[in-house]
Amino acid sequence: TYVKSIEAFRETMGEVPVSVKFMYEGEEEIGSPNLKPFAEQHKDLLKADLAFFSDSHIHETGRPLLILGLKGMIYVDLKVQGAAKDQHSMRATSVPNPAWRLVWALSTLKDRNNRITIPGFYDDIRELTPLEKEAVERIPCDENELKQYFGIKEFLPGRFSTEYYTNLVSEPTCNIAGFSSGFTGEGSKTVLPAKAFAKVDMRLVPDQKPEDILGKLKRHLSEQGFDDIEVIPHHFIVPSRTPIDHPAVEIIKESLQEIYGLEPVVFPNIGGAGPNYVFTDVLEMPCFVVPHATHDQANHAPNESMDLAGFFKGIKTAIRVYEKLAKA
């Protein structure tokens, strides 16, 4: 989209009135492990007034989005070893079951009110500013339609609200992403498993630090008597958020309004995680994400899509942004 926007600008209007640097990175799905060290080693090369790119999808109403931040994440495997090998389940009277150990451990991470119970988990959270809260309140939301779409009866509560977008933007998470142990095939097999595995991801909001949260998780499991559970960390992503009153916000909003003919929806941050912190924290520049895919793009599914209308709107939006940034 952005390469084409430069090409289209040059062919129709002449030289682009701002300097543009392109950076290509293909490791986002594995946590972008090399992006931070690359940025730290090449700050002069990457120096810019702002970062601007596209990802995600527009709002379900068809209105365009301006995204100012992403959540961070830690992703861990939890492993428990029981007996040397699987046993007959008649021995459950005496032989420890690692699946139960893991179930008991996981049950200590979150209560039935949806509050994460790891001590200190919420300590460093940066709460939304009044302007950010106002932006969240303006996000269109038909909660009944969303519940029908998800096939659920109610949303989980956050610390302060049950509103879908309020919690999507402002709440960190503790999610069981997978669980495996014993016999999981069709039919029955009376087995007492020797091993149990769980995958847990925690999405973090600004000022929560992945290394700190990992330390608190390990300490909590130890204090609860689960020293036998091995914690294997994978992704570490720092949360990011660009100030909502940055002057480029209005420039991008005006550009989207002109191309889409609809008022943009501003998200202080979305629920997803990504390496935007490399721009905001390491390179110390604001970062703006403008999606152009449809809301039903099926992201991360085998048939993830990007329609042509969104592709061309992305080109046109970028051109408008270049023009307005130059004037500003």
Side-chain angles (χ1 to χ4, degrees), residues 29-33 73-79 177 197-202 210-211 214 217-218 230-237:
E29 289 299 331
I30 60 170
S32 299
M73 181 192 289
I74 66 167
Y75 196 111
V76 299
D77 286 348
L78 302 180
K79 294 187 177 183
F197 309 87
K199 293 183 177 292
V200 174
D201 67 77
M202 299 182 184
E211 295 85 353
L214 177 64
L217 169 64
K218 289 181 175 179
E230 184 181 5
V231 180
I232 303 170
H234 293 294
H235 299 349
F236 270 28
I237 302 175

Side-chain angles (χ1 to χ4, degrees), residues 183-295:
F183 175 70
T184 58
E186 292 185 10
S188 62
K189 182 180 180 182
T190 52
V191 63
L192 190 160
K195 299 178 181 179
F197 309 87
K199 293 183 177 292
V200 174
D201 67 77
M202 299 182 184
R203 294 184 185 266
L204 312 178
V205 296
D207 292 352
Q208 287 184 303
K209 299 174 179 61
E211 295 85 353
D212 176 65
I213 296 299
L214 177 64
K216 289 173 177 175
L217 169 64
K218 289 181 175 179
R219 188 160 52 251
H220 168 74
L221 290 174
S222 177
E223 291 172 350
Q224 293 292 318
F226 296 106
D227 285 312
D228 56 320
I229 294 181
E230 184 181 5
V231 180
I232 303 170
H234 293 294
H235 299 349
F236 270 28
I237 302 175
V238 177
S240 69
R241 188 182 292 154
T242 290
I244 198 169
D245 56 357
H246 189 280
V249 169
E250 290 305 316
I251 289 173
I252 298 171
K253 284 172 62 179
E254 288 174 6
S255 301
L256 286 167
Q257 175 86 45
E258 292 173 9
I259 299 304
Y260 279 81
L262 298 167
E263 181 185 359
V265 180
V266 178
F267 276 70
N269 61 261
I270 56 172
N276 290 25
Y277 76 94
V278 173
F279 302 105
T280 58
D281 295 10
V282 177
L283 298 175
E284 298 181 330
M285 68 178 72
C287 183
F288 304 94
V289 185
V290 179
H292 295 291
T294 58
H295 75 94

Side-chain angles (χ1 to χ4, degrees), residues 9 13 16-18 50 52 247-259 264 316-328:
F9 202 113
M13 293 181 285
V16 181
V18 292
L50 58 88
F52 182 68
V249 169
E250 290 305 316
I251 289 173
I252 298 171
K253 284 172 62 179
E254 288 174 6
S255 301
L256 286 167
Q257 175 86 45
E258 292 173 9
I259 299 304
K316 294 175 182 178
T317 299
I319 289 171
R320 285 284 195 279
V321 170
Y322 303 150
E323 292 178 311
K324 293 179 183 295
L325 283 175
K327 293 177 181 177

Side-chain angles (χ1 to χ4, degrees), residues 53-298:
F53 68 96
S54 294
D55 194 7
S56 189
H57 53 80
I58 63 175
H59 192 266
E60 55 264 24
T61 59
R63 288 169 58 183
L65 296 188
L66 170 55
I67 298 167
L68 300 177
L70 293 176
K71 289 183 178 178
M73 181 192 289
I74 66 167
Y75 196 111
V76 299
D77 286 348
L78 302 180
K79 294 187 177 183
V80 187
Q81 178 70 51
K85 61 181 180 179
D86 289 355
Q87 302 293 322
H88 193 289
S89 65
M90 70 178 180
R91 305 188 194 282
T93 56
S94 304
V95 177
N97 186 326
W100 276 117
R101 289 289 294 166
L102 199 49
V103 168
W104 292 330
L106 290 169
S107 72
T108 71
L109 302 183
K110 193 167 127 175
D111 65 25
R112 296 190 181 190
N113 294 317
N114 202 39
R115 189 172 181 87
I116 297 163
T117 50
I118 300 170
F121 183 85
Y122 295 105
D123 284 356
D124 300 320
I125 287 176
R126 185 200 315 167
E127 301 296 348
L128 295 174
T129 67
L131 280 177
E132 289 167 343
K133 289 180 181 178
E134 181 181 341
V136 173
E137 290 171 358
R138 291 169 59 87
I139 298 173
C141 184
D142 185 331
E143 292 203 341
N144 289 329
E145 185 175 335
L146 282 171
K147 290 173 188 174
Q148 184 176 0
Y149 174 78
F150 293 128
I152 60 175
K153 293 182 178 179
E154 59 184 14
F155 292 125
L156 295 174
R159 289 167 298 150
F160 312 116
S161 172
T162 59
E163 295 175 356
Y164 176 76
Y165 279 117
T166 296
N167 292 341
L168 187 72
V169 169
S170 64
E171 291 294 340
T173 67
C174 179
N175 176 61
I176 301 172
F179 191 105
S180 177
S181 186
F183 175 70
T184 58
E186 292 185 10
S188 62
K189 182 180 180 182
T190 52
V191 63
L192 190 160
K195 299 178 181 179
F197 309 87
K199 293 183 177 292
V200 174
D201 67 77
M202 299 182 184
R203 294 184 185 266
L204 312 178
V205 296
D207 292 352
Q208 287 184 303
K209 299 174 179 61
E211 295 85 353
D212 176 65
I213 296 299
L214 177 64
K216 289 173 177 175
L217 169 64
K218 289 181 175 179
R219 188 160 52 251
H220 168 74
L221 290 174
S222 177
E223 291 172 350
Q224 293 292 318
F226 296 106
D227 285 312
D228 56 320
I229 294 181
E230 184 181 5
V231 180
I232 303 170
H234 293 294
H235 299 349
F236 270 28
I237 302 175
V238 177
S240 69
R241 188 182 292 154
T242 290
I244 198 169
D245 56 357
H246 189 280
V249 169
E250 290 305 316
I251 289 173
I252 298 171
K253 284 172 62 179
E254 288 174 6
S255 301
L256 286 167
Q257 175 86 45
E258 292 173 9
I259 299 304
Y260 279 81
L262 298 167
E263 181 185 359
V265 180
V266 178
F267 276 70
N269 61 261
I270 56 172
N276 290 25
Y277 76 94
V278 173
F279 302 105
T280 58
D281 295 10
V282 177
L283 298 175
E284 298 181 330
M285 68 178 72
C287 183
F288 304 94
V289 185
V290 179
H292 295 291
T294 58
H295 75 94
D296 57 352
Q297 69 168 130

Side-chain angles (χ1 to χ4, degrees), residues 6-24:
I6 298 296
E7 181 184 39
F9 202 113
R10 285 176 168 171
E11 289 184 0
T12 59
M13 293 181 285
E15 193 55 51
V16 181
V18 292
S19 298
V20 180
K21 298 178 182 179
F22 289 94
M23 183 171 69
Y24 300 91

